[in-house]
Amino acid sequence: MKDFIVDYHVREKLKNFYLRKGRWLIHLLYWAYVYILGQVRAEEPVWAWEGFLLNFLFDNWLIIVFYYLYCLVLVPAYLKKERYGRFWTVLAIAFIVLPVADMYFQLHFQSYVPKQYQDYDFTDFHFRSHVGQFYYLYFMNFLLFSTFLFLMETAESLTNYREEQEAEEVKLQHEKMLLQTNIDPAFVMHALDGLSALSANSDTHTPDAVIRFSDILRYRLYRSNEARVLLADEIAQVRNLFELQNSLYGPCCILETEGDTTGKFIPTLAMVNIAEPICNTFQPGHEWQLIMYLLIEDKQLHIAIEWNAALAHKESVLAAIRQNLTHFYPEESAVLDTELMDYNYSIRISLPMHYTAT
């Protein structure tokens, strides 16, 4: 069933391919050129039903059959489906038979059309010389037709390439927006559990923890549609995240900064999405500590992370961070270096700075 469906979609895509999306106009212009050229050679009016029927159609109907057999049947049914043996066999038979059939058709019926429309002289008929003339005519038309089809294929390939590039850009934008707006459920559940425990114990840190948690959610919800935010705002949210972690589980997160943040921008949630996967690894009852140092230079933001935790699957956290960096910096140099030990994990990240919000 799957093969049938795939084959059906392929057939639908190839059906009348060379006539769709305005390509029929190329066919119309070519046959109009052939018709007008025939009328001019016969020294007859350009627009005349007699010329169209007895000059154009009478001389070219078998060539038209050959051409559209080639481009509407043989190419989509055999060539595009890689049935090369059948394609060349049928094409060779058509190329051998149709010129001979056309020659005998002209030989027997040309005398019935007006003399000005008679293109061939059969008074001294000789098979080889006359059939060679028809083979030459068909071969030249075939080359011309193939050139037209090649140009159509090239134009279609360029169009498909542009569409694929646009679709890829849209996909990356949607993935980036998803990363920005989609908060990790594990983070929400851990935070809610921690807030519930604080409230149950009537802890004095509960109001501040609730405010910080709501600020984190608000920032992700309302600022995620901005391409970039001030570096100071992003750092404030990372500090919010660390203070929330400290309120819920005790002092375990430290954020230190050095440098001037004035007028510097960073992709929205780029730093938050680095810190959040690490914070999600906190396990109550186990030793856990996270220290983040930020060195802010004119063109670079250097992030040094020291993460101490007894966690067996730290590589998965690194993979999440690397994926985030790929989406936030698809064409820029975001440098990531790591050193993994049994208990300590050192992460070094360098991010390019921006001086505009777009």
Side-chain angles (χ1 to χ4, degrees), residues 8-190:
Y8 171 78
H9 283 289
V10 170
R11 287 200 310 270
E12 288 299 309
K13 184 176 178 63
L14 296 176
K15 185 178 179 181
N16 299 327
F17 171 82
Y18 296 108
L19 297 177
R20 297 201 306 262
K21 297 182 180 179
R23 300 184 189 97
W24 58 269
L25 186 59
I26 298 177
H27 299 258
L28 181 63
L29 291 175
Y30 173 73
W31 293 120
Y33 163 77
V34 173
Y35 165 70
I36 293 172
L37 183 63
Q39 289 298 97
V40 171
R41 286 180 176 177
E43 298 181 352
E44 291 292 318
V46 172
W47 306 114
W49 279 108
E50 183 183 71
F52 177 76
L53 295 173
L54 301 181
N55 190 20
F56 173 72
L57 282 183
F58 183 84
D59 286 344
N60 296 290
W61 72 275
L62 274 175
I63 294 179
I64 293 173
V65 169
F66 173 68
Y67 175 44
Y68 289 105
L69 172 69
Y70 171 69
C71 72
L72 297 183
V73 179
L74 298 185
V75 171
Y78 300 133
L79 184 63
K80 292 293 185 180
K81 296 182 179 180
E82 299 181 352
R83 300 171 182 173
Y84 301 120
R86 188 171 299 181
F87 168 77
W88 288 111
T89 300
V90 178
L91 180 62
I93 293 173
F95 187 76
I96 292 171
V97 172
L98 289 179
V100 177
D102 199 356
M103 180 189 68
Y104 279 108
F105 174 80
Q106 297 290 336
L107 177 65
H108 289 90
F109 296 101
Q110 181 178 256
S111 58
Y112 293 100
V113 302
K115 192 169 184 61
Q116 67 269 25
Y117 296 141
Q118 297 181 13
D119 296 331
Y120 306 99
D121 183 10
F122 292 113
T123 53
D124 185 18
F125 177 72
H126 189 271
F127 178 82
R128 287 189 177 181
S129 61
H130 282 88
V131 81
Q133 182 181 358
F134 278 85
Y135 276 124
Y136 175 79
L137 177 65
Y138 272 71
F139 180 71
M140 295 306 296
N141 274 277
F142 176 74
L143 288 181
L144 189 58
F145 297 153
S146 299
T147 302
F148 284 157
L149 300 186
F150 174 75
L151 293 176
M152 291 180 190
E153 292 275 3
T154 302
E156 180 70 12
S157 298
L158 292 174
T159 301
N160 288 341
Y161 176 76
R162 287 195 296 268
E163 291 176 352
E164 289 174 2
Q165 291 295 106
E166 292 172 359
E168 186 65 24
E169 291 177 3
V170 171
K171 177 185 174 184
L172 288 175
Q173 288 295 326
H174 282 295
E175 289 179 348
K176 184 176 179 180
M177 290 179 61
L178 183 63
L179 280 173
Q180 292 175 328
T181 57
N182 187 25
I183 191 168
D184 192 335
F187 168 75
V188 175
M189 294 303 297
H190 290 162

Side-chain angles (χ1 to χ4, degrees), residues 184 187 190 241-242 245 249 252-253 271-283 288-292 303-309 311 313-314 316-322 324 336 338 345-349:
D184 192 335
F187 168 75
H190 290 162
L241 178 63
F242 280 24
Q245 198 84 352
Y249 308 117
C252 58
C253 294
M271 290 179 58
V272 172
N273 281 359
I274 292 174
E276 190 178 280
I278 301 176
C279 290
N280 289 341
T281 65
F282 180 86
Q283 296 177 345
W288 190 95
Q289 186 178 45
L290 174 61
I291 304 174
M292 179 180 288
I303 305 173
I305 299 173
E306 296 297 328
W307 172 29
N308 297 322
L311 184 68
H313 304 292
K314 291 183 179 179
S316 62
V317 177
L318 178 62
I321 295 174
R322 183 177 287 111
N324 290 334
L336 185 146
T338 62
Y345 207 0
S346 297
I347 303 174
R348 302 293 182 266
I349 302 173

